[in-house]
Every structure is written in C-alpha cells, then in structure tokens.
C-alpha cells in the first residue's frame, strides 16, 4: 500500500521487506504508515513466520532528504488537548517500534541527513545502521520542552553507557557520523553517495543468511542485560543446540565439509 508520499509503505523485494514510517521531505512520522508497518512486522515475530513469508531482513527506507525529523511538532502545537494527542502519537509509535525490535530478522537502516527526536530513537533500535559523512543525530526533545519517547532513554545507555547518555540527552547533543561510529550507534560509515547502495546491499546480504540463527542471535543480545551469566549460558546452549539440529545448521556443516559457501535459501 502507498502512503501520502506516493511510495509503498511496505513492499517486499526478494527476501527484504522494505518499510517506510515517514512522509515528506523532512521525514516526519506518518501515523497511518506506522500502523501499517507495525502490523506487517508483528507477522515476523518468529523465525517460522519469517520463513513462511520468505523474509530474511527488514530495511527501513525513507523518501525525503532526511531519514526522520521526528514527530510533526506543528500538529502537537495545534492540538486542543496536547497531552492526550502526544500520548496517542507516542503509543502508536511505540507499537511500531516494539514490533520492529522484536521481529525475528535483522533490521537495517541507511540514515541520510538528519535523524532527530523519534528518528534518533529509531536509529538506536536498529540492528545495523549505515551512515554517510553528513549524517547527524540529535535527541531534539529538550528543544521543545519534551522528554524522550521511542525507547531512547532505554536504548541509548545500553549502547553508549549511562554517563555518556546523560550528557547526550541533557545537553541535546548533536552527534556526527564519526561520533556515531565511535560510540557504537552506527555500524558502517560510507561516503554520502554510497549510503543508499550500501544499506540495500547490507539488507540483501543479511536476508540471504541463516534467518533462524540470526533471530536467535537477536534474542540472545536482547537478554544480555536481563540475565545472570548462568542463565545466559543456558540460553546460549539451548540456542546453539536448536541451530545444530535445524536445516540451517545442517547446510552450514555440509558446506564447511565440502569447502564451499553455504546456501541457506536455495
């Protein structure tokens, strides 16, 4: 289905599911698009569901010059009941974001231009983030007298540490591409002209990988800060055992023995 910007909100290209949650040149969050993307991603909650749909990766795309400038601040200001309106937008955003984080396949975003406010929250929630030399992120919430949403106050400390997160959020710090890379917010830094192609190639490469195993890796990483070592070791043992017993493990071991690259998807 296409949104107000004319491009598809959700479209599958081979094993990559490409999703758009923003509209317009600035890249403001698009409510109907977020609802559609949330529904699509909830259908990828398990490796079995992803396999049934033939999806191996999710790529977050955008139409405008900026990745995402956050919520529509003008609509916040114009709302009769601002608190209720912003809560409604935040709840919708969180439905989409939770489905995005919990989906059983890797997520990829090519972050062009600015990712501010909710846009930065999306970046922090993405598995593999590709940035260009001119990419910038900024919390932006303090600039309009708001506290964060989109999990920013949860994900940022886990990536950069609590002390650095305090500084970034409280001072509304702008981070450039090099900062993002050194802090672990970005995964890959390329020239601006190569950004779109690199993000697409990354999504396609991940989509051809061992989908079930990558999903297990995502779940293990998500539990890192919630488990003690013994509990986490048990989870790893169960996960690697399931991988070894499954078709991906069989193909990987066979390919290793035959000294060839594995073919996980035909």
């Amino acid at each position: 289905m296409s949104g107000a910007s004319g491009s598809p909100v959700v479209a599958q290209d081979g094993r990559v599911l490409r999703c758009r949650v923003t509209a317009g040149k600035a890249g403001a969050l698009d409510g109907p698009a977020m609802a559609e993307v949330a529904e699509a991603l909830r259908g990828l909650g398990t490796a079995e569901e992803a396999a049934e749909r033939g999806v191996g990766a999710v790529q977050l795309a955008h139409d405008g010059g900026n990745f995402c400038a956050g919520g529509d601040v003008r609509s916040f200001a114009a709302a009769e009941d601002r608190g209720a309106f912003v809560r409604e937008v935040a709840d919708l955003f969180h439905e989409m974001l939770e489905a995005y984080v919990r989906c059983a396949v890797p997520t990829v975003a090519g972050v062009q231009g600015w990712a501010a406010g909710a846009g930065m929250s999306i970046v922090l929630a993405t598995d593999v983030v590709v940035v260009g030399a001119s990419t910038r992120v900024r919390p932006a919430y303090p600039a309009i007298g708001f506290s964060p949403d989109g999990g920013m106050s949860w994900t940022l400390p886990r990536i950069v540490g609590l002390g650095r997160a305090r500084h970034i959020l409280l001072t509304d710090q702008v981070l450039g591409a090099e900062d993002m890379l050194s802090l672990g917010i970005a995964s890959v830094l390329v020239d601006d002209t190569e950004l779109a192609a690199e993000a697409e190639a990354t999504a396609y490469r991940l989509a051809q990988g061992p989908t079930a195993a990558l999903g297990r890796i995502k779940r293990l990483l998500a539990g890192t800060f919630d488990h003690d070592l013994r509990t986490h070791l048990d989870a790893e043992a169960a996960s690697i055992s399931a991988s070894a017993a499954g078709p991906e493990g069989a193909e990987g071991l066979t390919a290793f023995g035959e000294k060839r690259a594995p073919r996980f998807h035909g």
Side-chain angles (χ1 to χ4, degrees):
M1 181 181 293
S2 295
S5 69
S7 69
V9 172
V10 177
Q12 188 164 343
D13 184 358
R15 290 183 51 78
V16 175
L17 188 70
R18 194 166 288 113
C19 302
R20 177 181 61 76
V21 296
T22 61
K25 183 177 181 181
L29 289 177
D30 180 338
M34 286 195 292
E36 185 176 341
V37 169
E39 182 178 358
L41 295 180
R42 280 193 289 266
L44 298 174
T46 67
E48 292 75 19
E49 290 172 326
E52 184 176 343
R53 292 181 56 183
V55 173
V58 170
Q59 182 185 359
L60 211 57
H62 58 102
D63 291 331
N66 292 309
F67 176 74
C68 178
D72 184 350
V73 177
R74 289 186 176 85
S75 70
F76 298 166
E80 184 175 346
D81 185 336
R82 292 174 177 174
F85 180 77
V86 171
R87 177 58 187 263
E88 182 180 350
V89 174
D91 285 343
L92 178 59
F93 179 37
H94 291 169
E95 286 291 320
M96 184 281 297
L97 197 78
E98 184 175 18
Y100 183 62
V101 170
R102 292 186 181 279
C103 73
V105 298
T107 58
V108 178
V111 184
Q112 177 182 340
W114 279 95
M120 181 171 170
S121 293
I122 293 171
V123 169
L124 294 169
T126 300
D127 293 324
V128 180
V129 177
V130 181
V131 298
S134 65
T135 300
R136 300 288 184 271
V137 297
R138 178 188 177 186
Y141 295 96
I144 57 171
F146 281 19
S147 56
D149 66 353
M152 185 183 293
S153 60
W154 189 89
T155 52
L156 186 61
R158 284 164 169 76
I159 295 172
V160 305
L162 183 57
R164 189 61 189 267
R166 286 191 184 113
H167 181 253
I168 292 169
L169 286 174
L170 295 174
T171 66
D172 198 12
Q173 186 179 8
V174 174
L175 300 174
E178 292 282 0
D179 299 319
M180 294 173 68
L181 192 66
S182 65
L183 289 169
I185 295 171
S187 312
V188 182
L189 170 58
V190 296
D191 188 87
D192 287 336
T193 59
E194 301 171 1
L195 176 56
E198 179 65 25
E200 184 173 299
T202 300
Y204 280 109
R205 184 167 62 251
L206 288 168
Q208 294 304 315
T211 303
L214 297 182
R216 293 184 183 107
I217 291 170
K218 286 188 58 167
R219 286 194 297 276
L220 288 167
L221 291 172
T224 297
F225 297 102
D226 301 322
H227 301 156
D228 59 33
L229 177 59
R230 181 69 262 172
T231 301
H232 202 78
L233 289 172
D234 288 343
E236 285 189 335
S239 184
I240 196 170
S241 174
S243 294
E248 292 177 353
E251 167 59 14
L253 293 172
T254 298
F256 181 84
E258 295 177 353
K259 298 182 179 179
R260 60 171 175 80
R263 297 184 292 271
F264 294 114
H265 305 287

